[in-house]
Amino acid sequence: MSAIRLLVLGAVRQHGRAHGYQVRNDLEYWGAHEWSHAKPGSIYHALKQMAKQGLLRAHETAPSTAGGPPRTEYEITEAGTEEFLRLVREALTSYDQKVDVKSAAIGFMVDLPREEAVALLKERIERIAQWRAAVTEHYVPADGPEQLGHIGEIMHFWVHTADAESAWTRGLVERIEGGAYTFAGEGEPFVGVLADGQENPYATGDRHPQDDH
Amino acid sequence: MSAIRLLVLGAVRQHGRAHGYQVRNDLEYWGAHEWSHAKPGSIYHALKQMAKQGLLRAHETAPSTAGGPPRTEYEITEAGTEEFLRLVREALTSYDQKVDVKSAAIGFMVDLPREEAVALLKERIERIAQWRAAVTEHYVPADGPEQLGHIGEIMHFWVHTADAESAWTRGLVERIEGGAYTFAGEGEPFVGVLADGQENPYATGDRHPQDDH
DNA sequence: TCCCGTTTAGTCAAACTTGACTACTTGCTT
DNA sequence: AAGCAAGTAGTCAAGTTTGACTAAACGGGA
């Protein structure tokens, strides 16, 4: 799963109706340019693609209210909402070691009911444990780990990372079970999009693309 | 940086002369199919591309010794070796939170002198610290972190991950400084490729592509 | 008022990735 | 002796990602 579709679907859904540039701005507001590869091209491409697949409905719109070429607005469809929820659930449970997908899923977890979020996260913890067991059993050669030489460090690194993630997920589950945050059906949701015209406090300052982290 | 080029360059380099299928097998031997997206198409594409760019030299070869279509063998060029070392150095120092690139870099770190590897890893630790400082300062709004709601969990997750990685890197530096592993110029290097005809103990068992982790 | 920089909005070609498919040989089985 | 599974080696079209580029409108100073 690529994070782009999830992010774009989620942004359009929260907005109700959004054009590409608005989505682009929301993602930046969420800091997504820091942890996902959400370039303009990818965003506009995802919008078009998902419109073609019936996940979004495209509305041709008048030549824009403030500069730039005419813009297309999108709304999420029934099918799009289903796909969105499916993606959130999948991203919350699966251990795919991709930071962007995980981060996006955390951002959207409150779109599910509290109990479901907890259950999915517990499933994730379970999967990490299984993955860990499989890796440590499978990749340690019969005649001892020394055989692997420095290659063993790769495995060590994976396991270390998995343990850290597991620990963090357990903490998150505790916080959620302790009543933190507002989940689906629990009243006013947290607003995570920029209103039209609102200034983005986390703007990039438009750094040059050749920036290297 | 994508991990594929680094992995392919490294494989060809260790082999001296290799055809695509051999590279494909080496990567599987290294477990790369588990942590990178090293599909056949990507590997053959990378080989062709890098040959076109002068990083590899292609030799047309006789119709193969054991089944299958005729194969092309590749050798690394001077420019390719430079690029390889550049990529390893970059991957060791930069904090790009991509598991595949990091893992590949660990696998190839012994191709550098010991002192350089240590220096690069220390640089990495430093960069993680800087990144952490920037993120915690920049993303905590003036009126307290509560403002962020559950979105703050994303930041918390990044920071947690960064700390885990920093801890692991410090451990690795200690092990290397303590004399572990054989680095460039220290005698017989660790052999990380499969000899022609040698069986791969870590073969995938050719699982179906629709496997989901 | 005219030019120039900025913001808004989006396009495009080139490169890369994916997963399924082709094609050829070996060796076992019936 | 024919058939066929398994292994070897690689191709291909469809889809995705990238980074640089286009283009329109606003703003403000000389």
Side-chain angles (χ1 to χ4, degrees):
Chain A
M1 181 201 329
S2 101
I4 296 270
R5 297 184 140 236
L6 176 55
L7 287 167
V8 170
L9 269 182
V12 172
R13 189 174 121 102
Q14 284 192 21
H15 253 294
R17 201 174 217 258
H19 52 87
Y21 194 67
Q22 245 164 349
V23 171
R24 204 168 150 179
N25 259 335
D26 282 346
L27 298 197
E28 189 166 312
Y29 178 48
W30 301 341
H33 57 283
E34 299 263 9
W35 43 264
S36 78
H37 303 282
K39 314 288 170 75
S42 311
I43 295 169
Y44 288 107
H45 173 73
L47 284 168
K48 273 185 191 154
Q49 202 63 19
M50 293 197 294
K52 211 163 71 183
Q53 292 167 2
L55 305 179
L56 297 174
R57 201 182 356 267
H59 304 270
E60 288 298 331
T61 308
S64 134
T65 58
R71 53 203 187 175
T72 311
E73 291 195 324
Y74 296 90
E75 252 180 329
I76 197 163
T77 63
E78 182 94 15
T81 303
E82 263 172 50
E83 173 71 357
F84 169 73
L85 292 175
R86 196 184 67 69
L87 288 175
V88 174
R89 291 190 178 108
E90 191 190 320
L92 279 181
T93 40
S94 80
Y95 174 56
D96 36 7
Q97 69 248 52
K98 289 235 221 74
V99 213
D100 51 357
V101 177
K102 275 181 291 205
S103 302
I106 298 163
F108 295 128
M109 69 181 174
V110 294
D111 288 311
L112 301 173
R114 185 179 295 266
E115 303 73 40
E116 187 181 0
V118 168
L120 294 173
L121 288 170
K122 284 185 174 166
E123 167 74 18
R124 174 196 206 87
I125 293 170
E126 181 51 35
R127 294 220 198 157
I128 294 175
Q130 279 168 18
W131 174 87
R132 190 190 200 287
V135 159
T136 49
E137 274 167 35
H138 187 66
Y139 272 88
V140 173
D143 28 358
E146 300 76 26
Q147 279 285 311
L148 283 173
H150 70 284
I151 295 294
E153 288 288 354
I154 297 180
M155 206 187 83
H156 186 247
F157 173 67
W158 299 343
V159 171
H160 188 92
T161 305
D163 288 347
E165 188 170 333
S166 182
W168 177 80
T169 310
R170 283 195 301 274
L172 177 58
V173 167
E174 262 173 49
R175 289 189 286 282
I176 297 177
E177 284 183 328
Y181 316 122
T182 308
F183 284 77
E186 300 180 346
E188 272 319 292
F190 181 86
V191 176
V193 293
L194 288 165
D196 212 359
Q198 187 188 345
E199 182 196 359
N200 181 354
Y202 300 134
T204 48
D206 202 42
R207 299 175 308 186
H208 289 177
Q210 45 272 53
D211 272 3
D212 54 336
H213 274 289
Chain B
M1 180 201 329
S2 103
I4 295 271
R5 298 184 136 235
L6 176 55
L7 286 167
V8 169
L9 270 181
V12 172
R13 191 174 119 102
Q14 284 193 22
H15 253 294
R17 202 176 217 256
H19 51 88
Y21 194 66
Q22 247 163 351
V23 171
R24 202 168 152 179
N25 261 336
D26 282 346
L27 298 198
E28 190 166 311
Y29 178 48
W30 301 341
H33 55 283
E34 299 263 9
W35 42 266
S36 78
H37 304 281
K39 314 289 170 76
S42 310
I43 294 169
Y44 288 106
H45 172 74
L47 283 169
K48 273 186 189 155
Q49 202 62 18
M50 293 197 294
K52 211 162 71 182
Q53 292 168 4
L55 304 179
L56 297 174
R57 203 184 350 269
H59 303 270
E60 289 298 332
T61 308
S64 133
T65 58
R71 51 203 189 176
T72 311
E73 290 195 324
Y74 295 90
E75 252 180 330
I76 196 162
T77 63
E78 184 92 16
T81 304
E82 262 172 51
E83 174 70 358
F84 169 73
L85 293 175
R86 197 184 66 70
L87 288 175
V88 174
R89 291 189 178 110
E90 192 189 319
L92 278 181
T93 39
S94 79
Y95 175 57
D96 35 8
Q97 69 248 51
K98 289 236 220 72
V99 214
D100 52 356
V101 176
K102 275 182 290 204
S103 301
I106 298 163
F108 294 129
M109 69 182 174
V110 294
D111 288 312
L112 301 173
R114 185 179 296 265
E115 303 73 39
E116 188 181 359
V118 167
L120 294 172
L121 289 169
K122 284 184 173 166
E123 166 74 18
R124 174 194 207 89
I125 294 169
E126 181 51 35
R127 293 219 197 160
I128 294 175
Q130 279 168 17
W131 176 87
R132 190 191 201 287
V135 161
T136 49
E137 274 168 34
H138 187 65
Y139 273 86
V140 174
D143 27 0
E146 300 77 24
Q147 278 285 311
L148 283 172
H150 70 285
I151 295 293
E153 288 288 353
I154 297 180
M155 205 188 83
H156 186 248
F157 172 67
W158 299 344
V159 171
H160 189 92
T161 305
D163 288 348
E165 186 169 334
S166 183
W168 176 80
T169 310
R170 283 195 301 275
L172 177 59
V173 166
E174 263 173 48
R175 289 189 286 284
I176 297 176
E177 284 184 328
Y181 316 122
T182 308
F183 283 76
E186 300 181 347
E188 273 318 293
F190 180 85
V191 176
V193 292
L194 287 166
D196 213 358
Q198 187 188 346
E199 183 195 359
N200 182 355
Y202 301 133
T204 48
D206 202 42
R207 298 175 309 187
H208 289 177
Q210 44 273 52
D211 275 3
D212 54 337
H213 275 286

